[in-house]
Amino acid sequence: MEARIPSRQLFIDGEWVEPIKKKRLPIITPSTDTLIGDIPAATAEDVELAVDAARRAFSRNKGADWAKAPGSLRAKYLRAIAAKITERKSELAKLEAIDCGKPLDEAAWDMDDVAACFEYFAGLAEALDAQKKASLSLPMDTFKCHILKEPLGVVGLITPWNYPLLMATWKVAPALAAGCTAILKPSELSSMTCLELADVCIEVGLPPGVLNILTGLGHEAGAPLASHPHVDKIAFTGSTATGSKIMTAAAQLVKPVTLELGGKSPILVFEDVDLDKPHTQHVESQTNHKVHYGLSNTQMRSNIQIAERWLKPRTSCKTKLLKAQASAEWTAFGCFWTNGQICSATSRLLVHESIAAEFLDKLVKWTKNIKISDPLEEGCRLGPVVSKGQYEKVLKFIATARSEGATILSGGGRPQHLERGFFIEPTIVTDVTTSMQIWKEEVFGPVLCVKTFSSEDEAIELANDTQYGLAGAVISNDLERCERVSKALQAGIVWINCAQPTFCQAPWGGIKRSGFGRELGPWGFDNYLSVKQVTQYVSDEQWGWYQPPSKL
């Protein structure tokens, strides 16, 4: 399956612009480790141009063209972008798979999510119109108060390589819906679809400067953007180390930041799980094979849909009973989805000691059945990691685990049938102690480490034994236990009897060193709005605090 590799420039002020220093970076496809094209490399000089364009767009016609325009106007553009993404879904999915290595099926579902996210925030933009001058009840009838929600201004959006266009959309859509103007800086390791978003913006006639897209290296383009005095906010998804640097730069200007950083999320499997039967949960059913999650078709494209296809359900859905996949399969999916390169990966398995041997036997069988191949090959469920550097990093983690005394139960190297590319087998590591690197540090690859527990309290203690706090999952047939554990887990997201479902209506973000702030839902929208109190004195009486001056 072939795909045309576009040759693009930077996108500044509504036009394709060559980098001032005329630098470009190679595109290396991870499935074959070969050069397939290049992207423009922005530097500080290009950042200046983009920030100037964004500021002009924000204030053009005293803000009437964008920042202060009705939300319904901005919604029109967001819906037009969503429609174009859907129209170009096949092309964009191929570029995504080629660029970052994720399976084509997954990349195609990402495009559904991208379109749905633009649609969702278009709805919030329209709803914002109804919230203008929202009155606030006060205890004194001599005053009237109303609240204004206003766009923050020019925002810098710095995004990762594992979900190139989707993670960009999580930031671009709410920022534009709120009335901000933006500069998007995607990862240099996978920028192609973000540059195609620029082409979509041209097609739909997005006003110049509202969205600017700069590709390039972090220290040459991302750092100048984060520290720029005329950028009013930074939203970043990526490593904790880089997030710390962005916080430091923003702190010099007391600039707000939203950070979605690393993770080392646990999945807890309790002894009451029936290893021979799937879990069940009650949901409404649209048909015998599809599940309705209470959302309109234009609003909802969730990773639940992706999970259902990835997991290939073996039982049909009848009446009001959905039979979910076995615990072992959810465990595999939670860690090996997106080639293991996901911040919320449930990469620490905690399993009750009484079922550990049988559970791991089933898990290994599931893992060995995952199809590892070129991401464009039909049925691929695990592609390569994104780059040579990431490939070497993941293999070093595995080697260190082995040297520290852990056991590589399954996987641990390159698949024998793939001689080229950055492929790593899904790997399960046992005999892990809490002092090992593999337990403490984020791998960002298809590697799962395993520990056993003997009690609920021990499971919770082990689950919270991490510097991160993005997500966690609990697998149990005891829903009261699930509720207790959900409350006890130190994480921003908890899944019960599943792993990785993501909805654009629900908040996404973590605690501890996984960052702060929330993306998605109304919480993600509010990230790009400031709240202004307007209070009016409505009495004809003098305030009366000071003695009035004597009359002459």
Side-chain angles (χ1 to χ4, degrees):
M1 186 184 296
E2 295 183 0
R4 180 183 63 87
I5 307 300
S7 180
R8 300 295 191 191
Q9 300 289 358
L10 304 174
F11 184 61
I12 300 175
D13 208 15
E15 298 180 341
W16 297 114
V17 177
E18 185 179 25
I20 289 178
K21 293 188 176 179
K22 304 185 186 304
K23 295 175 63 175
R24 297 189 72 85
L25 299 172
I27 302 172
I28 306 295
T29 182
S31 58
T32 58
D33 188 15
T34 55
L35 176 69
I36 58 171
D38 55 34
I39 56 171
T43 56
E45 295 83 356
D46 304 298
V47 171
E48 286 292 339
L49 295 177
V51 172
D52 287 347
R55 293 219 75 85
R56 288 195 303 272
F58 188 79
S59 59
R60 188 178 295 123
N61 196 17
K62 296 184 178 181
D65 289 0
W66 189 259
K68 296 180 181 179
S72 57
L73 174 70
R74 297 191 296 272
K76 181 187 74 172
Y77 285 106
L78 295 183
R79 289 203 168 97
I81 291 171
K84 283 291 180 184
I85 294 294
T86 300
E87 180 183 311
R88 297 173 59 171
K89 172 182 171 179
S90 177
E91 163 207 347
L92 292 170
K94 290 177 189 175
L95 289 177
E96 202 82 293
I98 291 168
D99 201 14
C100 72
K102 66 170 55 192
L104 180 61
D105 284 346
E106 182 183 337
W109 298 320
D110 280 2
M111 298 309 127
D112 287 339
D113 283 348
V114 167
C117 196
F118 275 109
E119 286 275 1
Y120 173 74
F121 284 106
L124 291 191
E126 291 172 331
L128 190 61
D129 289 341
Q131 299 171 26
K132 284 189 175 179
K133 295 188 70 171
S135 61
L136 186 69
S137 177
L138 297 175
M140 297 177 67
D141 59 11
T142 51
F143 293 93
K144 288 175 63 177
C145 181
H146 66 267
I147 303 300
L148 300 178
K149 288 188 174 183
E150 300 175 332
L152 279 176
V154 174
V155 296
L157 314 174
I158 304 175
T159 55
W161 42 258
N162 55 338
Y163 286 87
L165 187 54
L166 183 55
M167 291 293 99
T169 299
W170 281 19
K171 293 173 172 55
V172 169
L176 269 52
C180 295
T181 56
I183 300 100
L184 169 65
K185 194 282 175 189
S187 168
E188 66 272 15
L189 294 178
S190 53
S191 298
M192 286 201 293
T193 52
C194 288
L195 288 172
E196 294 312 292
L197 175 60
D199 194 52
V200 166
C201 291
I202 293 172
E203 287 190 67
V204 304
L206 189 72
V210 167
L211 177 62
N212 307 271
I213 301 177
L214 304 179
T215 54
L217 298 173
H219 66 280
E220 292 184 345
L225 180 62
S227 62
H228 200 289
H230 295 150
V231 173
D232 300 302
K233 174 191 171 69
I234 293 291
F236 170 77
T237 296
S239 72
T240 299
T242 303
S244 179
K245 292 177 182 177
I246 287 173
M247 273 191 71
T248 300
Q252 309 310 307
L253 300 167
V254 197
K255 181 183 302 185
V257 295
T258 300
L259 302 177
E260 200 263 273
L261 308 176
K264 193 73 179 178
S265 301
I267 181 167
L268 289 65
V269 180
F270 284 91
E271 72 277 11
D272 61 355
V273 167
D274 187 338
L275 295 178
D276 294 319
K277 293 181 180 179
H279 299 298
T280 60
Q281 63 187 87
H282 291 279
V283 296
E284 293 296 324
S285 176
Q286 286 180 316
T287 70
N288 275 357
H289 300 286
K290 293 183 180 179
V291 181
H292 176 56
Y293 293 89
L295 305 168
S296 70
N297 288 335
T298 55
Q299 286 181 319
M300 191 274 287
R301 296 289 191 279
S302 76
N303 280 353
I304 282 285
Q305 294 172 304
I306 304 170
E308 287 171 349
R309 301 184 202 185
W310 195 88
L311 297 166
K312 294 183 179 178
R314 292 159 293 170
T315 54
S316 63
C317 180
K318 296 181 179 179
T319 62
K320 293 187 177 182
L321 187 64
L322 169 67
K323 294 196 173 183
Q325 297 308 293
S327 312
E329 191 170 10
W330 277 118
T331 301
F333 183 75
C335 186
F336 303 138
W337 171 245
T338 314
N339 304 339
Q341 299 169 129
I342 182 169
C343 53
S344 59
T346 43
S347 58
R348 290 186 301 138
L349 167 61
L350 303 173
V351 57
H352 194 275
E353 59 187 13
S354 66
I355 63 167
E358 186 179 357
F359 183 82
L360 288 175
D361 179 66
K362 291 181 180 295
L363 179 60
V364 168
K365 290 175 181 176
W366 274 104
T367 300
K368 289 185 178 297
N369 198 45
I370 295 173
K371 181 175 180 177
I372 312 169
S373 69
D374 184 296
L376 298 183
E377 189 173 312
E378 184 176 356
C380 175
R381 289 296 177 265
L382 190 79
V385 296
V386 74
S387 67
K388 182 178 182 181
Q390 190 66 17
Y391 175 77
E392 293 173 345
K393 176 185 174 184
V394 174
L395 290 181
K396 186 176 181 180
F397 265 105
I398 296 170
T400 299
R402 184 183 285 112
S403 70
E404 290 180 341
T407 299
I408 310 304
L409 181 66
S410 180
R414 170 184 289 279
Q416 292 183 358
H417 65 288
L418 294 165
E419 297 180 357
R420 292 197 304 165
F422 309 127
F423 293 91
I424 299 173
E425 297 170 299
T427 300
I428 300 172
V429 184
T430 59
D431 299 319
V432 172
T433 67
T434 57
S435 63
M436 290 181 180
Q437 180 196 47
I438 199 74
W439 172 265
K440 296 187 294 184
E441 297 184 22
E442 183 179 39
V443 177
F444 224 68
V447 180
L448 176 71
C449 66
V450 183
K451 273 193 70 62
T452 62
F453 63 86
S454 59
S455 69
E456 183 177 313
D457 286 345
E458 184 187 10
I460 292 168
E461 182 179 356
L462 287 169
N464 291 334
D465 179 31
T466 174
Q467 62 183 336
Y468 298 109
L470 182 53
V474 53
I475 307 292
S476 172
N477 283 318
D478 182 344
L479 294 184
E480 290 185 1
R481 166 184 276 161
C482 291
E483 185 68 19
R484 287 195 306 272
V485 174
S486 296
K487 292 178 179 178
L489 290 179
Q490 297 169 0
I493 304 156
V494 177
W495 299 299
I496 294 176
N497 289 337
C498 60
Q500 305 303 337
T502 305
F503 298 87
C504 61
Q505 294 80 8
W508 183 275
I511 60 174
K512 300 196 280 190
R513 293 193 186 180
S514 289
F516 50 82
R518 292 296 181 266
E519 295 194 295
L520 302 181
W523 303 268
F525 188 50
D526 287 345
N527 273 337
Y528 299 96
L529 292 167
S530 65
V531 177
K532 179 183 287 183
Q533 173 210 140
V534 180
T535 300
Q536 177 186 357
Y537 184 58
V538 295
S539 173
D540 293 332
E541 299 295 323
Q542 183 179 314
W543 181 232
W545 178 253
Y546 297 108
Q547 183 73 25
S550 299
K551 294 182 179 179
L552 296 176

